[in-house]
């Protein structure tokens, strides 16, 4: 008999049981549309997909693996009882690499060519030239967080001839296109050298509030700040102050400390800011990729092999 799996809220997929039974014929898989239903059957489950809150984990006497539906789930997903348990958690990192890196490049290229100036002029019907473009082969980008997304972004930046500085706590050696690899405690040394600061880090205990007044003051006055990681990594009030005072040149933002960004927030009307509403990860094939990753890990779990995307639970990623 293969293992027992339950698929819990909030992201359950009704077609997954049939796909799983094709790959693992004797698997016992149950879809639980509500937390209440999950609580009734989780007691002897070997594995679970979804948000396993404390009340569910308390009843899970045989649980060995949880598949998190996201790369960076809601704050509190990694609660104390889960962190302290022996349960292995995996996530969905890597499935967004191409979509998010393309979004980053769209913001970077927009700033390099002055679209943050020319688009408002178009809306106002104003013909005015003169924005000083940035010549990318002579520009430097600092990528903070060089996992799959940051690595692909570094590759794309290198294709434009840019110099790449990487900041990452885990990366063992520089990836393609990266000139220098630094640890996070060296961030303040890296920031003054960058024309673009690109943040792709997940929300973890170490990255919450990672960018605040000190980091913005360390950047060039002409540098552009791009955040597509998690809103909690940036203190918005400090970013607003940095933009208003000219401490940095501009910002491209897809994620925010408060979402949706409130109407009337100063960032909406700043001339040197480009905003997208947390859509950097949007694109085709995500559900297919998530399904393939989950089914592959189910096969690995059933066969006692190493799982993909294992999370350091204490650091949420």
């Amino acid at each position: 008999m293969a293992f027992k799996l339950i698929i819990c809220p909030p992201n359950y997929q009704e077609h997954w049981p049939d796909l799983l039974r094709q790959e693992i014929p004797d698997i016992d898989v149950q879809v639980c549309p509500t937390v209440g239903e999950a609580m009734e059957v989780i007691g002897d489950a070997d594995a679970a997909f979804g948000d396993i809150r404390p009340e569910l984990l308390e009843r899970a006497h045989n649980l060995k693996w949880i598949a998190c539906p996201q790369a960076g789930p809601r704050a509190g997903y990694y609660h104390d009882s889960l962190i302290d348990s022996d349960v292995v958690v995996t996530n969905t990192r890597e499935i967004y690499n191409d979509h998010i890196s393309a979004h980053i490049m769209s913001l970077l290229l927009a700033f390099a060519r002055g679209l943050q100036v020319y688009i408002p002029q178009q809306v106002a019907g104003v013909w005015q030239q003169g924005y000083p473009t940035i010549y990318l082969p002579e520009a430097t980008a600092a990528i903070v967080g060089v996992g799959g997304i940051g690595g692909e972004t570094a590759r794309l930046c290198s294709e434009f001839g840019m110099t790449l500085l990487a900041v990452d706590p885990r990366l063992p050696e520089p990836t393609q296109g990266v000139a220098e690899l630094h640890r996070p405690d060296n961030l303040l040394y890296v920031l003054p050298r960058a024309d673009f600061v690109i943040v792709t880090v997940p929300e973890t205990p170490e990255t919450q509030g990672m960018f605040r007044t000190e980091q913005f003051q360390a950047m060039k006055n002409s540098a552009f700040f791009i955040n597509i990681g998690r809103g909690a990594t940036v203190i918005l009030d400090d970013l607003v102050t940095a933009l208003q005072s000219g401490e940095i040149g501009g910002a491209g933002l897809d994620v925010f400390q408060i979402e949706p960004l409130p109407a009337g927030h100063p960032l909406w009307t700043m001339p040197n800011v480009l905003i997208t509403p947390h859509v950097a990860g949007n694109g085709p094939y995500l559900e297919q990729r998530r399904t393939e990753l989950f089914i592959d890990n189910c096969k690995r779990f059933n066969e006692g092999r190493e799982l993909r995307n294992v999370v350091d639970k204490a650091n949420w990623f």
Side-chain angles (χ1 to χ4, degrees):
M1 180 67 184
F3 68 99
K4 179 175 179 179
L5 166 72
I6 65 168
I7 299 175
C8 304
N11 295 320
Y12 61 90
Q13 304 291 335
E14 294 184 355
H15 65 288
W16 278 3
D18 290 338
L19 295 175
L20 285 164
R21 292 186 188 108
Q22 292 174 20
E23 299 290 340
I24 311 170
D26 53 350
I27 190 173
D28 178 359
V29 55
Q30 298 184 49
V31 174
C32 301
T34 68
V35 173
E37 291 174 76
M39 291 183 72
E40 294 297 321
V41 297
I42 200 171
D44 60 348
D46 301 288
F49 175 94
D51 189 347
I52 309 304
R53 296 172 181 266
E55 61 269 25
L56 278 172
L57 187 63
E58 185 178 359
R59 294 193 177 205
H61 307 301
N62 199 45
L63 200 63
K64 302 175 185 66
W65 166 46
I66 296 171
C68 176
Q70 297 94 20
R74 63 171 182 84
Y77 181 95
Y78 294 102
H79 50 83
D80 289 343
S81 54
L82 177 56
I83 292 171
D84 293 339
S85 74
D86 294 328
V87 178
V88 174
V89 179
T90 59
N91 65 16
T92 61
R93 62 180 182 267
E94 306 295 334
I95 71 172
Y96 310 95
N97 294 355
D98 51 352
H99 300 320
I100 295 183
S101 59
H103 200 90
I104 291 169
M105 295 307 297
S106 71
L107 292 169
L108 186 152
L109 292 170
F111 286 128
R113 303 301 302 182
L115 297 192
Q116 81 279 14
V117 172
Y118 294 131
I119 290 174
Q121 287 184 187
Q122 175 188 341
V123 173
V126 174
W127 181 281
Q128 183 175 332
Q129 301 173 345
Y131 178 80
T133 60
I134 299 172
Y135 184 55
L136 294 181
E138 296 177 356
T140 296
I143 301 180
V144 185
V146 193
I149 294 166
E152 177 62 8
T153 301
R155 185 190 69 80
L156 293 174
C157 287
S158 70
E159 293 292 330
F160 284 88
M162 300 181 70
T163 299
L164 276 301
L165 310 177
V167 178
D168 193 275
R170 300 184 186 178
L171 197 67
E173 58 186 25
T175 59
Q176 180 181 350
V178 171
E180 299 177 20
L181 173 61
H182 298 270
R183 298 307 177 202
D185 58 4
N186 215 21
L187 179 62
L188 291 177
Y189 166 74
V190 173
L191 291 177
R193 303 165 59 194
D195 301 293
F196 298 92
V197 175
I198 300 165
V199 184
T200 75
V201 295
E203 181 182 354
T204 74
E206 285 70 35
T207 65
Q208 289 178 327
M210 185 179 194
F211 282 86
R212 55 182 67 232
T213 297
E214 183 180 16
Q215 286 69 37
F216 295 127
Q217 289 179 342
M219 292 171 56
K220 293 180 180 180
N221 292 345
S222 58
F224 292 94
F225 179 78
I226 297 173
N227 184 26
I228 56 77
R230 281 291 179 264
T233 64
V234 178
I235 305 301
L236 271 193
D237 287 348
D238 291 356
L239 174 59
V240 168
T241 298
L243 290 162
Q244 290 175 333
S245 65
E247 288 175 351
I248 64 175
L253 307 168
D254 185 61
V255 291
F256 303 85
Q257 205 173 18
I258 303 171
E259 293 188 3
L261 186 67
H265 193 280
L267 287 172
W268 282 117
T269 54
M270 287 188 172
N272 52 349
V273 174
L274 295 174
I275 288 174
T276 53
H278 204 146
V279 294
N282 289 6
Y285 310 117
L286 291 177
E287 287 309 312
Q288 177 184 331
R289 294 172 186 177
R290 183 178 286 108
T291 297
E292 289 173 351
L293 172 62
F294 180 60
I295 290 177
D296 181 47
N297 262 345
C298 284
K299 292 165 64 177
R300 288 168 176 260
F301 182 80
N302 189 54
E303 297 165 7
R305 294 187 287 133
E306 183 178 357
L307 299 176
R308 294 164 57 189
N309 292 6
V310 172
V311 171
D312 175 356
K313 293 183 293 182
N315 288 307
W316 310 349
F317 195 76

